[in-house]
Amino acid sequence: MKAKIHKFVQNGTYILLDINSGAVHVIDKMIYDIMDTFTGENDDEVIAAWENTYKKDDLTEALDELHALMDEGELFAPDIDVPPTFKQKGLVKSLCLMIAQDCNLRCKYCFGDGGSYGQERAIMSPETGMKAVDFLIKSSGPRKHLEMDFFGGEPLINMKTVKAVTEYARKREQETGKKFKLTLTTNGLLLNDENIKWLNDNDFSLVLSLDGRKEVHDAMRPDVGGNGSYDRAIKNFHKCLDSRKGGDWDYRGVYTYLRGTYTKNNMDFTKDVLSMNDEGFDILSMEPVVLKDSPLGFTEEDLPRISEEYDKLTEAYMKRHHEGKGFFFFHFNMDLSNGPCVAKRLSGCGAGHEYFAVAENGDLYPCHQFVGREGYRLGSLDEGVTDTKLPQYFRESHVLNKEKCRDCWSRFFCSGGCHANADLFHGDIRKPYEVGCEIQKKRLECAIYVQAMLELEKLEKEDETA
Amino acid sequence: MMKHIKTVNKPSMQKTLKTGGCGECQASCQSACKTSCTVGNQVCEK
Ligand code: SF4
Ligand code: SF4
């Protein structure tokens, strides 16, 4: 049977999630216990099972409350199957451009082999980049919001193409009424004043890569000559962040992320997140490395330690929040009431049908991680999508078609995990990577807890002032 | 007021079965190298 609820304890708080409605309930220990027995229609059984532990009156009261939730559709809500809107053919709305399949760093965990993706080191020509703009416009049908991500390797080593593509995209916006959101991911080494100014003037969202503490960063992110890159990166990141404060920056709809990767070398990554925050950055993300057969990668055995660390991070996050020094942590940020629609929750990342990566030479792949992977080339900008089966397969590889995910409590939050990781570990995009799943679920519990606590605090404040 | 349960949100998921799927929202990569995210923290463009 498909799980309908998920319950967990975080920081001593008992939480009940109704999977199919998304309702989150903070409960007491008694409710937590009796949910082992309660199915919605077996009150007598619940009382029989728990009357030695709890008073009968209390149990009856608890059951009444649970039935009230059911009446509201907030407990045991009906199963969700594929919504009708999901069946149409996919339209492409995002492209990741491999602006440079080359890099000025040699990060130890890079899946792109120092930016080359197992291919020749090369950079994308302006012509290829501009063709990608046209491809996206043509493939997006009536969709208005389009995204383009300038990626690599290190995109700033090929500013010529970045600029040409941006200029062209802005021109085509005028002509077509589309809206391009532009994002660039950089290691910061080439983030000089001139580049910062240009990126600011062109409303780029930025994803800045930093792994936290200097020693952690330097060990993982050396340059071509083997020297640590922390000092150079952080200096430029500060400059960049300072340039994006005040004025209309709050309203431009662009963001400046600082993001890091943790590996087996820094399982105490809370310190790295806090170090980033201490440096003055407050939009942060920190994620587990995904590597197979590597001393830096994680296995099942690491899960308890990782889970413990997320508890620590959660505590630190709440502590800073209460001290008025709160920060935004990507995975804890979740809108429990107005999250995405079901169609979105089911479809997940969109790789291979809504989202493609364009290799430096114009070849199309399901996403940046598939670039250069055997059997995943979908076509090219010149020929268009020549493999029509694979995009359809990606499209149909949503949560409800993955055996493991169908029954997983986090299916509507996680939406089926990363296809690229599934392929890496199991050679099948429908078989999720287990270690990733466990980390995902732990992170979600922390996120739900954080949001529940913030909501309760808000309600308490309202009560006080009322 | 309930004594044993505090519900913290008014979820809209079931409602979106009928209204959702417009597709104007962002793609949402979950891998470690991107802005990556889980869909749980996406915003709706509507
Ligand atoms: S990928 Fe893993 S965590 Fe995500 S829904 Fe599927 S089984 Fe659950
Ligand atoms: S397959 Fe993985 S890496 Fe690729 S877009 Fe999806 S979540 Fe991101």
Side-chain angles (χ1 to χ4, degrees):
Chain A
M1 207 184 80
K2 268 192 209 173
K4 288 193 167 253
I5 60 145
H6 175 65
K7 53 177 192 142
F8 60 96
V9 191
Q10 182 70 39
N11 262 29
T13 300
Y14 296 90
I15 295 179
L16 174 66
L17 166 73
D18 185 52
I19 297 170
N20 289 316
S21 69
V24 175
H25 312 286
V26 173
I27 54 177
D28 62 12
K29 172 93 171 39
M30 175 171 55
I31 300 270
Y32 186 83
D33 285 340
I34 67 176
M35 284 312 291
D36 284 340
T37 318
F38 188 56
T39 63
E41 42 205 24
N42 62 342
D43 293 19
D44 293 344
E45 215 178 295
V46 172
I47 292 183
W50 294 96
E51 64 186 344
N52 292 331
T53 319
Y54 297 107
K55 279 197 226 133
K56 194 164 171 209
D57 285 353
D58 289 344
L59 286 169
T60 319
E61 194 177 60
L63 285 166
D64 283 347
E65 292 188 5
L66 290 171
H67 281 288
L69 293 188
M70 288 171 65
D71 293 342
E72 286 293 310
E74 293 172 354
L75 181 62
F76 301 134
D79 274 342
I80 290 176
D81 287 321
V82 186
T85 34
F86 199 71
K87 288 178 185 143
Q88 308 152 5
K89 203 177 152 287
L91 296 168
V92 184
K93 61 181 172 190
S94 326
L95 285 185
C96 177
L97 303 190
M98 296 305 190
I99 295 292
Q101 283 179 227
D102 194 357
C103 193
N104 44 10
L105 289 187
R106 289 292 180 273
C107 302
K108 303 239 162 96
Y109 45 61
C110 183
F111 64 81
D113 297 326
S116 70
Y117 292 79
Q119 302 171 325
E120 290 282 301
R121 293 185 184 282
I123 59 173
M124 183 180 279
S125 69
E127 292 70 36
T128 301
M130 290 192 276
K131 270 190 218 159
V133 173
D134 287 327
F135 173 83
L136 182 53
I137 289 171
K138 205 172 89 213
S139 320
S140 58
R143 229 162 233 179
K144 187 164 176 241
H145 294 99
L146 306 177
E147 296 152 57
M148 253 190 333
D149 191 1
F150 294 75
F151 204 67
E154 170 53 44
L156 294 185
I157 63 179
N158 186 11
M159 262 320 260
K160 188 172 153 217
T161 297
V162 173
K163 285 184 177 169
V165 174
T166 305
E167 220 169 87
Y168 187 62
R170 293 296 180 221
K171 175 172 152 252
R172 297 290 287 144
E173 263 182 347
Q174 304 284 320
E175 294 163 3
T176 58
K178 304 266 184 189
K179 285 301 293 170
F180 279 97
K181 275 193 200 161
L182 305 179
T183 305
L184 183 136
T185 303
T186 177
N187 62 32
L189 293 200
L190 293 173
L191 206 51
N192 55 28
D193 293 340
E194 193 194 331
N195 285 340
I196 291 174
K197 179 167 187 320
W198 186 87
L199 291 164
N200 289 355
D201 290 346
N202 285 282
D203 280 341
F204 266 79
S205 285
L206 293 175
V207 180
L208 312 174
S209 301
L210 192 91
D211 282 354
R213 289 164 291 178
K214 176 175 160 62
E215 61 276 21
V216 172
H217 181 101
D218 279 344
M220 281 302 127
R221 304 179 64 82
D223 63 15
V224 180
N227 308 301
S229 60
Y230 182 88
D231 292 337
R232 283 171 283 169
I234 194 95
K235 189 175 117 238
N236 291 342
F237 291 162
H238 276 301
K239 261 199 286 187
C240 177
L241 190 72
D242 291 345
S243 75
R244 297 183 148 217
K245 278 186 182 148
D248 62 352
W249 279 104
D250 288 346
Y251 312 103
R252 279 206 205 177
V254 303
Y255 52 80
T256 316
Y257 252 101
L258 198 62
R259 64 150 313 276
T261 303
Y262 66 85
T263 69
K264 202 135 173 171
N265 284 3
N266 60 321
M267 303 247 278
D268 55 349
F269 56 84
T270 300
K271 291 193 181 126
D272 295 294
V273 175
L274 296 181
S275 156
M276 289 153 117
N277 188 224
D278 291 338
E279 286 291 333
F281 296 86
D282 56 6
I283 305 184
L284 308 175
S285 173
M286 178 61 78
E287 292 160 274
V289 77
V290 177
L291 289 171
K292 200 179 174 180
D293 305 326
S294 155
L296 295 174
F298 297 114
T299 62
E300 305 263 322
E301 282 156 35
D302 299 315
L303 290 171
R305 176 68 192 90
I306 293 175
S307 173
E308 199 183 294
E309 196 59 28
Y310 276 109
D311 290 339
K312 271 196 197 145
L313 180 59
T314 305
E315 255 175 70
Y317 177 93
M318 292 304 286
K319 183 157 174 272
R320 292 216 169 173
H321 168 75
H322 289 137
E323 292 166 353
K325 298 188 296 191
F327 59 91
F328 177 105
F329 183 69
F330 200 86
H331 294 109
F332 290 174
N333 175 53
M334 179 187 286
D335 186 337
L336 292 177
S337 290
N338 302 303
C341 65
V342 169
K344 174 71 183 175
R345 288 171 187 267
L346 290 172
S347 64
C349 69
H353 60 107
E354 294 183 338
Y355 169 62
F356 291 140
V358 183
E360 145 284 315
N361 62 2
D363 282 354
L364 296 169
Y365 288 92
C367 85
H368 57 292
Q369 288 221 50
F370 284 102
V371 169
R373 264 194 217 182
E374 191 64 34
Y376 283 103
R377 185 180 171 276
L378 300 176
S380 70
L381 292 174
D382 287 330
E383 313 156 297
V385 178
T386 46
D387 185 337
T388 48
K389 276 203 197 112
L390 209 49
Q392 194 56 28
Y393 186 70
F394 270 87
R395 186 166 179 75
E396 285 164 11
S397 298
H398 51 73
V399 197
L400 301 172
N401 277 338
K402 295 185 183 179
E403 205 188 313
K404 272 234 179 75
C405 306
R406 262 199 308 258
D407 301 323
C408 173
W409 70 262
S410 78
R411 58 189 179 268
F412 296 118
F413 293 103
C414 158
S415 71
C418 167
H419 300 309
N421 293 349
D423 175 65
L424 178 68
F425 282 84
H426 301 301
D428 182 349
I429 64 169
R430 294 194 180 176
K431 289 202 180 120
Y433 157 57
E434 296 81 359
V435 172
C437 290
E438 292 313 311
I439 297 178
Q440 167 77 294
K441 287 188 278 188
K442 178 62 194 177
R443 226 162 43 185
L444 280 169
E445 288 184 351
C446 294
I448 292 171
Y449 165 84
V450 161
Q451 294 307 327
M453 289 303 109
L454 296 179
E455 193 53 39
L456 287 184
E457 282 171 18
K458 215 166 75 194
L459 292 177
E460 261 167 43
K461 260 200 204 121
E462 280 169 18
D463 276 355
E464 274 166 30
T465 48
Chain B
M1 264 306 267
M2 294 202 185
K3 257 174 73 187
H4 307 276
I5 304 171
K6 281 185 218 139
T7 301
V8 296
N9 60 344
K10 278 280 155 228
S12 54
M13 218 161 84
Q14 291 270 344
K15 250 184 279 162
T16 67
L17 270 175
K18 296 201 182 66
T19 59
C22 76
E24 289 291 342
C25 48
Q26 282 189 13
S28 43
C29 169
Q30 319 189 345
S31 89
C33 51
K34 290 226 136 184
T35 41
S36 82
C37 57
T38 49
V39 280
N41 41 31
Q42 283 259 315
V43 284
C44 178
E45 290 281 352
K46 268 199 190 171

